[in-house]
Amino acid sequence: MSEIDEITQMLCQSAGDFVAAHNDLNLQRQDLGQPLLIDRERWRAMAELGWLGLSIPERMGGSGMGVKVAAPLCEVLGRHLFAPPYIAAALQPAAVIAAMDTGVAHTLAEGLASGEDLFCLAWQEAGDPLGLALPVASVDNNRLNGHKVFVSALEEDSILLVYAQRAGQPVVVAIDASNDGISIKRFATAHGSSSEVQFDNALLREGEPLLSGAAASDALHEALASSRVAVSAQLAGIARACLEQTVDYVNQRVQFGRPIGSFQSVKHRCVDLRIGVEMAEASWREAAEQLAAAGGAAQPAVYAAKARCSDIA
């Protein structure tokens, strides 16, 4: 077993223990109709465990483990239906911050890894669901105008990393959610909250874009690719937990004097589901390996993993 595999195994074991002690599914069920905000005490505990800094480079104070370690952690979170938006508020911002090489980047990375600052990535616009085109949201005179949709894990004191354009070139800028030039419409989702955000002459947090040109678009695509692998792992974790609970149930539920798990039709269905789960797990692991080794060339494997894991979940 390699060193990275040993680290991953220990991380996942400790994650399982932590989640079992800190997850309240009954509370989540009660709040399904309301946007679920981040539990700050639990978020700081996750920071102390090193989870928030997994994808932050070592030069910025993180562990630099990347998606090969973060994705197995997300599978554990999926198995336990753990609510905090780890992917949206930690992995995606970390991938963007990792592309920077300034003093500001180090400050942002420190705030993210410590759990003291909350981040979210605002990239999607209604006319471009994949985020591949030049965004309409634009920066002029260090002020941002535009509209973003499906912004996950946005809180009142978050720092938004916004994908926009300036003079026809892509940029990433930082905006405080408390900015007077921002209006937010928040709504509930199965995993917490999502928001529509309108920017009206919102002043940039740092005065200048954090990334510009190809560096900005490359950082966005890296963030989306790594988060898709992480989401795939989370979906596979959900599927694995559902299968295990189903097998337990059919071995206990008695009909016609015997457990329904002994019926051939039920056996076949469970076998089919197990094969589907194991293929899903193999797909996201392969995508994580390819992404770590080949970057953008791994996109076909990433999309395949997302499709397969979504289907089985």
Side-chain angles (χ1 to χ4, degrees), residues 201-222:
N201 285 322
L203 186 65
L204 304 193
R205 189 174 193 271
E206 304 299 337
E208 285 289 329
L210 304 174
L211 293 166
S212 300
S217 58
D218 289 348
L220 174 69
H221 294 153
E222 173 64 26

Side-chain angles (χ1 to χ4, degrees), residues 166-212:
R166 184 175 68 172
Q169 292 294 316
V171 295
V172 173
V173 299
I175 301 281
D176 287 318
S178 58
N179 195 303
D180 291 337
I182 293 181
S183 58
I184 299 170
K185 181 180 179 181
R186 185 180 287 109
F187 52 92
T189 66
H191 63 280
S193 71
S194 187
S195 303
E196 292 185 18
V197 186
Q198 181 68 41
F199 301 95
D200 295 305
N201 285 322
L203 186 65
L204 304 193
R205 189 174 193 271
E206 304 299 337
E208 285 289 329
L210 304 174
L211 293 166
S212 300

Side-chain angles (χ1 to χ4, degrees), residues 158-174:
S158 292
I159 300 172
L160 291 96
L161 302 177
V162 186
Y163 186 58
Q165 64 155 301
R166 184 175 68 172
Q169 292 294 316
V171 295
V172 173
V173 299

Side-chain angles (χ1 to χ4, degrees), residues 225 228-229 232 280 282-292 294-309:
R228 284 175 182 134
V229 173
S232 299
S283 70
W284 74 254
R285 292 182 190 280
E286 175 64 19
E289 290 281 351
Q290 289 196 28
L291 188 60
Q299 288 292 357
V302 172
Y303 289 131
K306 182 63 161 46
R308 184 176 291 279
C309 293

